[in-house]
Amino acid sequence: MPHADVHYDIETGDAKPTFGVVSDVHAYITTVYQHLTILGAMACVGCAVQLKVGIFMFWPMLLGSIAALYFVYTSTSYPFRLSMFLTFGFLGGWSVGPIISIYKIPGDLVLTAFALTTLIFVCFTASAMYSKRGEWLHIGGILSSCITGLFAVWVLSLFFTIPFFHTILIYGGLVVFSLYVAYDTAIMIENANNGNKDAMIDSINLFIDFLAIFKRILIILAESRD
């Protein structure tokens, strides 16, 4: 049974269980998912454009994403932050295009991957929301170590063609980023409860998780088809 924190309604005096998410944070969470939807729409545009032009440009895409993320975190100008926010979503979608092209993935398989990704995302999001407040926060250090390990394996895979490296990056990454959905959701809720609200940053964190899961499921479905 999930632990329910109790929130007292000032107007009625009623005690309401909130499962770690107090009622005044609900509106903010809705705003975050609205921003996440916008990122998803921009990603669809970016993927469509990449498939149309057929140019990957890995390093410009990567550096552009890092620059956009940096300015979202540091800029104080809302219009500029918004433009970088949309750019980040566009470039995220751009990075999906080559996977679809290389594996020649049909549209129905893309939709299947999207549905499975959404299912995983919803399950881990619900797990964070309906758990005791802060219960997922303790795994942050473990996940950071896992990301470091995945990065090290990725670097090694650039120099050594070992199938096991590919398995670690795909399946290990799938597990890590699925857990990151719960962790980032818990961080978002905790920060919001403490008055630290930034919908752009919180939605970007969740978007990164969603995109990482989606790419891996795409590859898994494509490779299982062959």
Side-chain angles (χ1 to χ4, degrees), residues 27-80:
Y28 172 69
I29 293 176
T30 300
T31 300
V32 170
Y33 287 114
Q34 288 172 347
H35 280 69
L36 182 59
T37 302
I38 293 172
L39 282 173
M42 289 303 300
C44 290
V45 174
C47 182
V49 171
Q50 195 285 326
L51 290 172
K52 183 69 174 179
V53 301
I55 302 174
F56 183 28
M57 301 184 300
F58 173 77
W59 290 109
M61 183 275 300
L62 178 61
L63 295 175
S65 296
I66 293 173
L69 189 60
Y70 172 80
F71 287 121
V72 170
Y73 269 86
T74 60
S75 177
T76 57
S77 169
Y78 177 78
F80 184 65

Side-chain angles (χ1 to χ4, degrees), residues 86-128:
L86 297 176
T87 298
F88 186 82
F90 180 88
L91 292 176
W94 187 284
S95 69
V96 176
I99 297 175
I100 297 175
S101 298
I102 292 171
Y103 286 93
K104 296 180 173 58
I105 302 175
D108 60 333
L109 211 60
V110 174
L111 291 176
T112 300
F114 179 80
L116 290 173
T117 303
T118 302
L119 178 61
I120 292 172
F121 188 88
V122 169
C123 288
F124 279 91
T125 297
S127 178

Side-chain angles (χ1 to χ4, degrees), residues 119-138:
L119 178 61
I120 292 172
F121 188 88
V122 169
C123 288
F124 279 91
T125 297
S127 178
M129 286 187 173
Y130 287 91
S131 296
K132 182 179 179 180
R133 179 175 171 181
E135 189 173 36
W136 281 94
L137 299 181
H138 70 280

Side-chain angles (χ1 to χ4, degrees):
M1 291 292 292
H3 172 83
D5 294 336
V6 177
H7 171 69
Y8 289 93
D9 191 308
I10 296 176
E11 295 181 359
T12 65
D14 295 333
K16 300 178 179 179
T18 59
F19 299 96
V21 184
V22 296
S23 57
D24 59 353
V25 176
H26 289 165
Y28 172 69
I29 293 176
T30 300
T31 300
V32 170
Y33 287 114
Q34 288 172 347
H35 280 69
L36 182 59
T37 302
I38 293 172
L39 282 173
M42 289 303 300
C44 290
V45 174
C47 182
V49 171
Q50 195 285 326
L51 290 172
K52 183 69 174 179
V53 301
I55 302 174
F56 183 28
M57 301 184 300
F58 173 77
W59 290 109
M61 183 275 300
L62 178 61
L63 295 175
S65 296
I66 293 173
L69 189 60
Y70 172 80
F71 287 121
V72 170
Y73 269 86
T74 60
S75 177
T76 57
S77 169
Y78 177 78
F80 184 65
R81 285 190 79 207
L82 180 60
S83 66
M84 292 296 99
F85 175 79
L86 297 176
T87 298
F88 186 82
F90 180 88
L91 292 176
W94 187 284
S95 69
V96 176
I99 297 175
I100 297 175
S101 298
I102 292 171
Y103 286 93
K104 296 180 173 58
I105 302 175
D108 60 333
L109 211 60
V110 174
L111 291 176
T112 300
F114 179 80
L116 290 173
T117 303
T118 302
L119 178 61
I120 292 172
F121 188 88
V122 169
C123 288
F124 279 91
T125 297
S127 178
M129 286 187 173
Y130 287 91
S131 296
K132 182 179 179 180
R133 179 175 171 181
E135 189 173 36
W136 281 94
L137 299 181
H138 70 280
I139 68 171
I142 298 173
L143 292 178
S144 296
S145 298
C146 290
I147 288 295
T148 302
L150 288 173
F151 178 75
V153 171
W154 176 73
V155 172
L156 289 173
S157 70
L158 298 177
F159 301 97
F160 305 100
T161 306
I162 301 177
F164 186 60
F165 285 169
H166 177 74
T167 301
I168 293 175
L169 291 172
I170 299 301
Y171 290 92
L174 179 60
V175 172
V176 169
F177 282 105
S178 295
L179 291 172
Y180 253 116
V181 173
Y183 175 72
D184 285 334
T185 301
I187 286 288
M188 172 184 69
I189 293 171
E190 187 65 23
N191 287 340
N193 280 322
N194 293 329
N196 301 319
K197 301 175 182 179
D198 191 323
M200 286 190 188
I201 290 176
D202 284 331
S203 61
I204 281 178
N205 289 336
L206 295 173
F207 175 73
I208 291 172
D209 301 335
F210 189 97
L211 198 62
I213 296 169
F214 179 62
K215 289 179 181 179
R216 284 163 173 80
I217 290 181
L218 265 181
I219 293 172
I220 291 171
L221 291 177
E223 290 179 342
S224 64
R225 179 193 58 175
D226 296 336

